[in-house]
Amino acid sequence: MVAPLIELQSVSKCFRAQRTRQETWAIRDVSLNIGEGEFLCLLGPSGCGKSTILDMLAGFEGPTEGRILIAGEPVGRPGPDRGVVFQDASLFPWLSVIDNVTFAPRLSGVAPSTYRAQALELIEKMGLGGFENHAPYELSGGMRQRVAIARAWISNPRILLMDEPFGALDAQTRLEMQETLLAARGQAVSTVLFVTHDIEEALFLADRVAVMSRRPGRITLDIPIPFPRPRCYEALIADPAFSRLKQDIVRILRQEIVARRETDRA
Amino acid sequence: MNEGEGVRRLVLGLVSVTSVTVAWESAARYGLVDPLFLPPPTEVLATAVDLLRHGYRGSPLWVHVGLSLGRALVAFVAAVIVGIPLGVMIGISPIFAGLIDPFVQFLRPLPKLALIPLVILWFGIGEFSKVFLIFLSASLSIVVGAAAAVANVRRQQIRAGKVLGAHGFALFRHVMLPQMAPELFVAVRLSLGIGWTTLIAAEMIAADAGLGWMAVNASAYLRTDIVMLGIVLLGLTGYVLDLAIVGLQRWVTPWAGRS
Amino acid sequence: MVAPDINRRRFVTLAAGAAALVGAPEIGRAAEKPAVVRIGYLTAARAWTIGMTDGSFDAALGTKVEWVTFPAGGPALSLLAARQIDFAIFGITPIAAGLSRKLPIEILGSPEIVATSERLIVKPGIAGIKDLEGKRIAVAPSSTMSYALEAVIRINNLDSHSIKRLPLTQPDTIAAWRRGDIDATYINGPFWGELLADGGKQLLVSADLQPAGIFVWNSAVVRKDFADGYPETVVAWLQTVQAQFDRYKADPDGVSRALAKAYGAPFEAVRDTLAGLHYPSFKEQLGPGYWGNNVESGKDAPMVRALDDVAKFLADTGEIQRDGIPGSFAQTVNYDLLNKAFPA
């Protein structure tokens, strides 16, 4: 068996409040493997530590206990080999669309001729054709998120880390974005860790869904999503298997809440 | 701000300035206030014409305006060059902040008038002392503003920069600095106001020309018309400087306040 | 409806009350004493302020006395214009400027004549007055010293353009002197003491200018509406001022010592400064050597002409407007009350 690309081995993360010095465990004893080319959705309620896992993989934070390996190596400092898309697009407002997208290659010092055509193609693919020279503040929320994805994607990252990237968008735009993401990924297969609290989004996008409990976060369910690709949203929601999976996950999340209430009471 | 709103503000401004001027004139004309206390606009205008023609105390009026403007601008450019790096360093390095901040906080609220005897002892009574006093108050304000600008850089933007390969100086140059730019402009704009008010103190150091000196000197002879003219010119010049900074800000950081 | 009527009545009452508050102290009470008399004085020690330290004025005027200090003549003008003080004694330069700006004040003589209290001090390298050409001279702005300096330049036919005048306050002048930024200064006591001790040389004192008709002095002034409203108080005030100068003349060292204590200044500095002024009595001042006895005889009196000379100098330098200068400064002197206080 080939070693997975990403390995979390009994990882725990503890934050200490700066003033009160009070310790809070964000996640506890999480073990999780993600294979090369896999699309994993990390699903769970707000504040369960999903984003903490993503931050550690990006290299923003280190684990308190346990080990995190990428391709067998400990996680290094953040870099374009692991693209990150944040919930708010976090574009650089002083740069145009094309300059945002080409930020990483420009910084690496390669000649513009090597990336400019690719950038324009990516912008086109993201449905932003004709907006290359617009400023971020002239774009809608959905368009900004498209720029953010293109900006992460241009470096052909081995891993794409997405932190509730469509959470702030309206339902219609969200669906469009999901479809764009799937279509674009179809051509350049890379490993994706996608954090969300939206069950349908997870089922629509992922090869595998890992459900997390409330804080301190633990993996309570890890199931493969069997639907073949390319997926069509309308067909999928009509599929009884989709409803069944959704119900299972809802039940797990609910039990989790009930159990939580009981331990709180006791 | 859209165009319609801009026009409306301009009209409202004109209406309010005109009414105040008319009220001011009539108050003096109908004897409601002593013209010695508040010379009417027509008298101030006549004084302006007189000074334009004959100058004040040996210098034409434009020399007074130009000299003050020159002193202030030299001081500002120096304050920006020194103040921004210093403030950024305070913002980035807690050790540096600990070392420098006490002096900044001590000097900043100090009335600059109190420093005049020391400044004369250190730097004499030439132009340098006058510029230095303005520079001091302007740069201290910029330092504080720049340090705050660093503190207000959003963590998410830094993370976005890092993940795109920007570290160390590249992170500062390509992510932090542009993000701070709008706030740095605000700091410079505030310091402009503070520095411009220090002009009066600066021109008390052996000056024989300049708007601040003109107003102070005229007050010693109860020339309230010249005092008023000096105040109006100080205000107008300060206003124009402020407009220039705001224009520069719009041009350099068009995204400010819109993301 | 009743309400508007009540409102109107209320408004009328309020307005009347306000008018009474504003007008009351000034209108229609000519015979009475003011509730409070506010006297302005220079921050530096002056002989007549010995009466401030022991309550002489309170006793003589029979009312509450408030003392208001000012650092120079310019601020004194503002205090008078803003009706914050009723009496003051300060230099003729600002007084001439104020009168030319139609400031409603009246002159009450010249109780302090500058003799040696203001001096032209130079660096050792300067041998005589002619050497001042091309030099930097510091002088307190809008002071009697600046007037005296210009007089020195004019009387001696010095090349005025070659001389750089630096407007500096006295403490700043001493700082500039130490750094070597100035070559000379026209300065009052006690500041020249420090410069003489630092190797400075005295070129002349203001009394040396008197033969050329240049007089520098401090005048007593009163606000015109105060003098109109409370003539008796003005008479009493003048007599009390005279009494203080008499005390000083009888015992210069004793008064200097008491003032030094009150002002927190060294005794020697106060003594030397006070000795640098002449104190002609008000009675003397009403003679032909000073102000004359009335507006008519005052027209050609030396002090009136000297005051006119000061005003013309200020107009020449552009500080005041020439057409504001009174036709004769004798009209700005209150001879009536001076005569009443000191009958011949």
Side-chain angles (χ1 to χ4, degrees):
Chain A
M1 206 182 119
V2 194
L5 179 62
I6 298 172
E7 291 171 83
L8 277 80
Q9 300 173 348
S10 307
V11 173
S12 299
K13 178 70 186 175
C14 176
F15 290 101
R16 198 194 289 266
Q18 220 157 34
R19 204 170 305 161
T20 58
R21 302 243 129 233
Q22 198 182 346
E23 292 186 346
T24 312
W25 290 89
I27 58 168
R28 199 100 201 222
D29 196 25
V30 169
S31 293
L32 184 71
N33 292 340
I34 306 174
E36 178 96 58
E38 196 171 20
F39 195 129
L40 179 92
C41 268
L42 207 49
L43 188 67
S46 314
C48 70
K50 310 180 292 265
S51 298
T52 306
I53 292 177
L54 187 136
D55 286 351
M56 288 191 292
L57 283 169
F60 301 142
E61 312 264 1
T64 311
E65 288 166 12
R67 287 207 305 166
I68 303 181
L69 302 175
I70 293 179
E73 299 283 326
V75 176
R77 69 176 190 181
D81 58 319
R82 279 155 288 147
V84 177
V85 180
F86 303 95
Q87 177 168 6
D88 68 325
S90 293
L91 298 181
F92 301 127
W94 55 93
L95 297 179
S96 64
V97 167
I98 180 90
D99 286 342
N100 261 288
V101 170
T102 57
F103 187 87
R106 251 184 315 129
L107 210 61
S108 68
V110 295
S113 56
T114 57
Y115 56 78
R116 194 168 162 84
Q118 190 201 349
L120 287 171
E121 193 189 327
L122 203 53
I123 288 168
E124 189 70 40
K125 200 192 288 176
M126 282 292 159
L128 293 165
F131 287 95
E132 303 82 55
N133 296 315
H134 279 57
Y137 59 81
E138 295 170 316
L139 305 180
S140 69
M143 288 166 90
R144 273 183 233 170
Q145 207 53 276
R146 288 166 197 267
V147 179
I149 294 171
R151 185 176 65 172
W153 212 301
I154 194 164
S155 308
N156 301 311
R158 201 166 174 194
I159 300 166
L160 193 59
L161 302 165
M162 305 181 86
D163 191 1
E164 302 195 35
F166 310 142
L169 306 178
D170 62 84
Q172 182 62 38
T173 313
R174 193 182 318 157
L175 184 59
E176 264 174 48
M177 294 296 296
Q178 289 161 355
E179 284 168 343
T180 310
L181 176 63
L182 287 185
R185 185 170 168 267
Q187 288 144 335
V189 181
S190 65
T191 309
V192 181
L193 176 72
F194 191 106
V195 167
T196 181
H197 58 255
D198 180 336
I199 300 172
E200 289 196 5
E201 183 172 60
L203 292 179
F204 180 44
L205 296 176
D207 298 321
R208 209 177 115 209
V209 171
V211 179
M212 285 184 74
S213 69
R214 281 184 177 275
R215 195 163 46 208
R218 247 175 260 118
I219 308 281
T220 50
L221 180 73
D222 191 337
I223 46 167
I225 307 300
F227 309 117
R229 294 182 191 270
R231 292 173 185 172
C232 163
Y233 186 72
E234 285 79 0
L236 203 67
I237 53 172
D239 188 336
F242 179 88
S243 306
R244 226 176 298 125
L245 264 175
K246 189 176 165 184
Q247 280 162 22
D248 286 348
I249 295 171
V250 168
R251 199 179 314 121
I252 298 267
L253 285 172
R254 272 198 192 282
Q255 277 171 2
E256 160 69 23
I257 291 166
V258 171
R260 179 86 202 179
R261 271 198 207 126
E262 271 160 12
T263 50
D264 283 357
R265 216 172 287 150
Chain B
M1 187 166 64
N2 62 36
E3 212 165 294
E5 205 178 322
V7 170
R8 201 173 63 188
R9 276 183 71 169
L10 191 72
V11 169
L12 284 176
L14 281 175
V15 167
S16 101
V17 169
T18 312
S19 344
V20 167
T21 311
V22 168
W24 171 10
E25 178 74 36
S26 12
R29 195 158 284 187
Y30 296 109
L32 289 175
V33 292
D34 189 338
L36 200 57
F37 288 17
L38 191 65
T42 42
E43 191 190 332
V44 175
L45 199 68
T47 304
V49 170
D50 177 47
L51 295 197
L52 274 174
R53 242 184 242 153
H54 306 111
Y56 180 64
R57 292 289 312 276
S59 308
L61 190 55
W62 67 266
V63 168
H64 292 292
V65 178
L67 210 55
S68 290
L69 204 56
R71 285 169 182 149
L73 286 180
V74 170
F76 273 120
V77 171
V80 167
I81 291 173
V82 174
I84 288 184
L86 203 63
V88 167
M89 265 146 80
I90 286 177
I92 289 176
S93 154
I95 294 171
F96 197 75
L99 291 174
I100 301 293
D101 212 41
F103 295 100
V104 172
Q105 299 307 341
F106 169 75
L107 282 172
R108 199 166 60 104
L110 207 64
K112 301 303 169 280
L113 271 175
L115 290 175
I116 288 182
L118 286 179
V119 168
I120 290 179
L121 275 176
W122 296 338
F123 306 117
I125 51 178
E127 283 302 311
F128 185 85
S129 289
K130 301 177 184 73
V131 171
F132 177 79
L133 215 56
I134 305 173
F135 160 80
L136 196 66
S137 55
S139 61
L140 289 170
S141 151
I142 290 181
V143 164
V144 173
V150 175
N152 287 345
V153 171
R154 289 173 51 225
R155 190 180 72 155
Q156 198 79 329
Q157 293 265 319
I158 292 189
R159 287 185 161 186
K162 280 184 179 169
V163 90
L164 293 168
H167 297 276
F169 183 72
L171 184 71
F172 174 75
R173 164 73 187 81
H174 294 290
V175 179
M176 293 179 68
L177 197 59
Q179 225 216 324
M180 291 187 300
E183 227 178 305
L184 292 179
F185 266 107
V186 172
V188 169
R189 197 179 160 193
L190 281 177
S191 79
L192 199 85
I194 290 164
W196 194 238
T197 47
T198 313
L199 188 74
I200 303 251
E203 292 188 343
M204 285 173 86
I205 305 175
D208 54 9
L211 279 181
W213 169 82
M214 188 174 103
V216 169
N217 186 71
S219 82
Y221 297 94
L222 220 60
R223 286 296 301 273
T224 32
D225 52 333
I226 294 178
V227 174
M228 201 55 103
L229 178 68
I231 289 170
V232 168
L233 287 177
L234 275 169
L236 278 179
T237 317
Y239 186 55
V240 169
L241 281 178
D242 190 61
L243 281 182
I245 285 277
V246 171
L248 196 66
Q249 179 179 22
R250 292 234 174 97
W251 184 59
V252 177
T253 66
W255 68 89
R258 291 210 264 187
S259 56
Chain C
M1 280 233 285
V2 197
D5 229 44
I6 289 177
N7 279 344
R8 195 172 305 147
R9 208 175 305 149
R10 239 181 236 163
F11 176 75
V12 170
T13 316
L14 267 177
L21 270 177
V22 174
E26 312 294 346
I27 301 163
R29 296 175 56 183
E32 292 175 33
K33 279 179 182 166
V36 59
V37 173
R38 298 158 306 175
I39 305 172
Y41 67 105
L42 272 165
T43 317
R46 286 286 175 265
W48 64 283
T49 58
I50 187 70
M52 168 179 70
T53 60
D54 62 1
S56 298
F57 281 88
D58 305 65
L61 301 182
T63 60
K64 193 167 163 252
V65 175
E66 279 175 15
W67 291 84
V68 181
T69 183
F70 47 78
L77 291 180
S78 303
L79 286 170
L80 286 164
R83 308 162 68 94
Q84 296 299 305
I85 52 176
D86 305 311
F87 295 101
I89 299 183
F90 59 105
I92 39 157
T93 313
I95 289 175
L99 288 169
S100 303
R101 283 290 287 167
K102 311 274 181 289
L103 181 68
I105 55 172
E106 289 177 329
I107 292 180
L108 299 170
S110 47
E112 295 177 328
I113 313 281
V114 173
T116 57
S117 66
E118 297 177 0
R119 307 178 179 192
L120 183 55
I121 309 291
V122 297
K123 288 272 180 180
I126 297 172
I129 288 182
K130 203 69 191 157
D131 290 350
L132 289 175
E133 288 181 343
K135 295 296 192 295
R136 299 159 299 175
I137 308 177
V139 64
S142 63
S143 66
T144 47
M145 279 91 76
S146 66
Y147 169 66
L149 174 64
E150 295 305 323
V152 168
I153 293 169
R154 191 178 38 172
I155 298 168
N156 294 286
N157 288 317
L158 301 182
D159 176 11
S160 178
H161 287 284
S162 74
I163 297 169
K164 173 91 178 148
R165 284 83 147 180
L166 295 160
L168 283 172
T169 63
Q170 290 85 339
D172 293 349
T173 298
I174 289 171
W177 174 282
R178 293 251 155 82
R179 275 180 52 86
D181 283 342
I182 55 172
D183 306 302
T185 175
Y186 212 119
I187 198 163
N188 55 338
F191 300 100
W192 41 251
E194 214 163 320
L195 301 183
L196 289 175
D198 197 53
K201 204 170 84 181
Q202 180 182 311
L203 216 53
L204 59 81
V205 299
S206 291
D208 298 338
L209 303 172
Q210 288 173 3
I214 306 296
F215 284 87
V216 180
W217 71 89
N218 296 326
S219 261
V221 297
V222 61
R223 280 196 304 112
K224 193 171 183 325
D225 58 351
F226 187 91
D228 292 346
Y230 309 106
E232 295 305 324
T233 307
V234 177
V235 167
W237 184 81
L238 278 169
Q239 289 165 342
T240 314
V241 169
Q242 183 62 60
Q244 309 316 308
F245 284 122
D246 292 344
R247 276 171 78 183
Y248 169 74
K249 280 187 236 175
D251 179 15
D253 280 7
V255 167
S256 298
R257 192 164 286 118
L259 284 171
K261 207 173 151 206
Y263 283 83
F267 163 67
E268 289 79 9
V270 173
R271 184 192 58 196
D272 294 352
T273 305
L274 296 188
L277 296 152
H278 285 167
Y279 306 99
S281 71
F282 283 104
K283 213 170 236 171
E284 271 179 78
Q285 292 173 39
L286 285 168
Y290 291 89
W291 296 91
N293 196 254
N294 52 49
V295 174
E296 202 45 48
S297 67
K299 265 184 186 138
D300 291 316
M303 300 313 248
V304 171
R305 282 172 42 187
L307 202 51
D308 192 55
D309 191 57
V310 173
K312 290 205 169 102
F313 155 71
L314 291 177
D316 286 343
T317 53
E319 299 288 16
I320 63 174
Q321 285 150 320
R322 193 170 294 276
D323 53 16
I325 300 175
S328 165
F329 276 97
Q331 289 159 343
T332 66
V333 180
N334 194 325
Y335 287 100
D336 284 350
L337 293 181
L338 280 167
N339 280 309
K340 215 167 172 186
F342 309 101

